[in-house]
Amino acid sequence: MRHAPDLDTGRWKQMRFSYEMPVKVYFGKRCLNKCRHHLCSLGSRFLLVTGRSSGRLSGALDDAVSVLNENRLEYEVFDGVVNNPTLENVAEGAITARRFHADAVLGIGGGSPLDAAKAIAVLAVNDIEPHELYTNKFETVPLPVAAIPTTSGTGSEVTPYSILTRNDIKTKKSFGCSDMFPKAAFLDPSYTYSLPYNVTVDTAADAFSHAAEGYLSKRSTCLSDIYAVECMAAFGRCLPLLLKNNIKEQQRDELMYMAMLGGMVITHTGTTIVHGLGYQLTYNRDIPHGRANAVFMEQYLRYNSKVCGEKVDNILKLTGTRTFDEFGSAFGRLGNVSIDLSPEEIDLYAEMAYQKKSTSFNPRVVEKEDLKKIIKEALGR
Ligand code: NAP
Ligand code: ZN
């Protein structure tokens, strides 16, 4: 058995931890404008890293450009970040950063541009191949990064992680170290008003899965649990309106708040099998990150209820559902995925997820056969 059995999720164990959260967070409408001094103090030549449309549609790119112009700071825009950015994509961004002699990076967008910004900040000042990012040891400290999220999901604005698509090993993989925490994060919920419904729902499910996986993880602590519970409670408050596609400004605030909390949770606990399995659906079937996690959520809770039933019951309560069926039906309505996997694909996805280190942090000892069963049940096979 590869993962040593450890059923102890008791509080005494949770009370051994270290805690680091060095990101200066500014939260609220117009916070970038109000707190622009912090952004401007980070450098004098900014590379603005964003996606094809997210920076412009959200209004965040225009706001950032105004702030930099008003303060006579130089900038260049790299708006070529693709969804689920690849090593090749961030290498391209790093070339732009070097050519421009950037001394700071501002990521604007969902998790894809924010993760790309972090990787570009490393590659811009280190002569390494993109795959060497995964050593997590960099001779030169990465350029300072500021983050403006335009989705409410990944929490990347408060994590040190960058998750990139690795075509060489056919999966998604994260890297990160303390130097990669953004220096400042500007969380303005109005930047998410332009989000389409499906992205709103997918990203909310991602934030929820960060909290749920962190809450049940062997690495959970009494401190990370506070964030996780608050995150899932906020999700629970939004769930009825998410289901009705009736999201108002107040829910936009809540969703951005919960996404930030979810990021703070995984900064300390990491994720476990939901993300490990979800990456396979994203890489191989192009299912958006949050929706890919949502697919496995009900089975994940059922599976782990055997070893941490009390916490799983609490998750159901926080989401306002009483049974696994009710929970599953809510998640199914949020993001239905209909995919047919061959036995070979199921075997491959289970194997890939089984190999991930994060799998060893799942509260219940995981065997590859368990993962195959979860995949089959989640996809109704
Ligand atoms: P995303 O891939 O960044 O964006 C999804 C889609 O939404 C894109 O088409 C994007 O447009 C669009 N969009 C973003 N903001 C918008 C807005 N305000 N208005 C209209 N459209 C908007 O999605 P995401 O779920 O936020 O990020 C997913 C990535 O984050 C994955 O690669 C995942 O692995 C990673 N992740 C990172 C962490 C971490 O800790 N670092 C944690 C979890 C997940 P554009 O294409 O124009 O940008
Ligand atoms: Zn995630």
Side-chain angles (χ1 to χ4, degrees):
M1 201 171 342
R2 192 167 63 92
H3 305 295
D6 180 359
L7 305 188
D8 194 344
T9 51
R11 196 160 174 82
W12 73 268
K13 191 170 173 226
Q14 289 200 317
M15 295 198 79
R16 285 154 176 73
F17 61 85
S18 62
Y19 180 80
E20 186 185 23
M21 178 41 62
V23 184
K24 178 85 177 182
V25 172
Y26 299 97
F27 194 105
K29 266 190 216 149
R30 313 267 316 136
C31 64
L32 174 64
N33 204 42
K34 287 181 195 137
C35 305
R36 56 188 178 276
H37 63 277
H38 197 156
L39 177 67
C40 297
S41 71
L42 295 178
S44 56
R45 299 180 66 80
F46 284 78
L47 183 72
L48 310 189
V49 174
T50 188
R52 286 267 170 249
S53 65
S54 47
R56 289 182 184 88
L57 288 178
S58 62
L61 183 60
D62 278 353
D63 286 354
V65 163
S66 299
V67 164
L68 297 175
N69 278 336
E70 277 162 22
N71 289 275
R72 296 198 178 80
L73 297 168
E74 301 290 326
Y75 65 87
E76 166 104 19
V77 178
F78 175 72
D79 61 2
V81 179
V82 296
N83 291 353
N84 304 297
T86 58
L87 290 183
E88 297 76 14
N89 193 203
V90 296
E92 207 187 311
I95 292 172
T96 310
R98 282 173 183 248
R99 206 170 37 217
F100 177 64
H101 301 292
D103 60 9
V105 178
L106 171 60
I108 302 175
S112 297
L114 300 192
D115 284 6
K118 293 175 191 172
I120 290 169
V122 176
L123 292 174
V125 287
N126 286 281
D127 283 320
I128 56 172
E129 291 299 320
H131 69 264
E132 291 175 282
L133 288 166
Y134 289 82
T135 61
N136 284 328
K137 289 197 177 68
F138 313 121
E139 219 167 274
T140 309
V141 177
L143 295 179
V145 171
I148 304 181
T150 66
T151 62
S152 293
T154 70
S156 178
E157 65 276 9
V158 291
T159 77
Y161 310 128
S162 172
I163 301 164
L164 301 177
T165 299
R166 298 274 311 253
N167 287 318
D168 53 341
I169 51 172
K170 297 195 175 353
T171 188
K172 296 186 63 169
K173 196 170 174 190
S174 74
F175 67 98
C177 61
S178 287
D179 286 338
M180 285 172 57
F181 276 110
K183 300 284 178 244
F186 300 91
L187 285 76
D188 182 337
S190 69
Y191 293 147
T192 62
Y193 293 173
S194 55
L195 272 182
Y197 177 63
N198 61 335
V199 183
T200 302
V201 163
D202 293 346
T203 47
D206 186 30
F208 176 80
S209 62
H210 295 157
E213 286 176 80
Y215 186 52
L216 301 187
S217 167
K218 280 184 190 167
R219 298 173 76 195
S220 69
T221 71
C222 45
L223 192 56
S224 66
D225 280 1
I226 294 173
Y227 293 132
V229 167
E230 175 72 353
C231 176
M232 291 186 286
F235 179 82
R237 287 192 290 273
C238 294
L239 185 57
L241 293 163
L242 279 172
L243 287 167
K244 285 189 205 140
N245 188 5
N246 185 16
I247 304 144
K248 304 275 190 311
E249 285 187 22
Q250 191 187 336
Q251 285 74 45
R252 291 287 178 199
D253 286 2
E254 284 258 52
L255 291 171
M256 187 159 266
Y257 173 61
M258 74 164 284
M260 176 201 75
L261 293 169
M264 289 175 175
V265 173
I266 55 168
T267 289
H268 295 97
T269 62
T271 55
T272 60
I273 55 175
V274 173
H275 271 67
L277 291 168
Y279 288 157
Q280 310 315 315
L281 292 189
T282 300
Y283 185 82
N284 294 291
R285 295 300 186 104
D286 210 19
I287 307 288
H289 174 68
R291 200 177 317 166
N293 293 336
V295 166
F296 299 108
M297 193 51 70
E298 178 197 343
Q299 300 309 326
Y300 163 76
L301 293 184
R302 284 183 189 271
Y303 177 72
N304 282 310
S305 63
K306 302 273 187 302
V307 297
C308 41
E310 220 176 289
K311 276 190 157 183
V312 170
D313 283 349
N314 202 26
I315 293 178
L316 294 183
K317 255 186 234 139
L318 288 164
T319 55
T321 57
R322 283 160 303 184
T323 61
F324 290 123
D325 285 345
E326 233 179 82
F327 178 91
S329 138
F331 262 71
R333 277 156 63 208
L334 281 183
N336 212 352
V337 167
S338 162
I339 1 172
D340 208 14
L341 296 182
S342 67
E344 293 73 29
E345 284 172 305
I346 293 174
D347 192 70
L348 174 70
Y349 295 4
E351 177 62 26
M352 295 291 273
Y354 183 66
Q355 294 300 337
K356 294 217 169 275
K357 187 163 176 238
S358 53
T359 295
S360 66
F361 302 126
N362 189 72
R364 183 169 163 189
V365 177
V366 180
E367 297 297 341
K368 183 178 159 187
E369 285 307 309
D370 300 335
L371 295 174
K372 284 171 77 167
K373 198 158 170 259
I374 289 173
I375 297 172
K376 284 184 198 161
E377 286 175 356
L379 296 174
R381 288 171 48 98

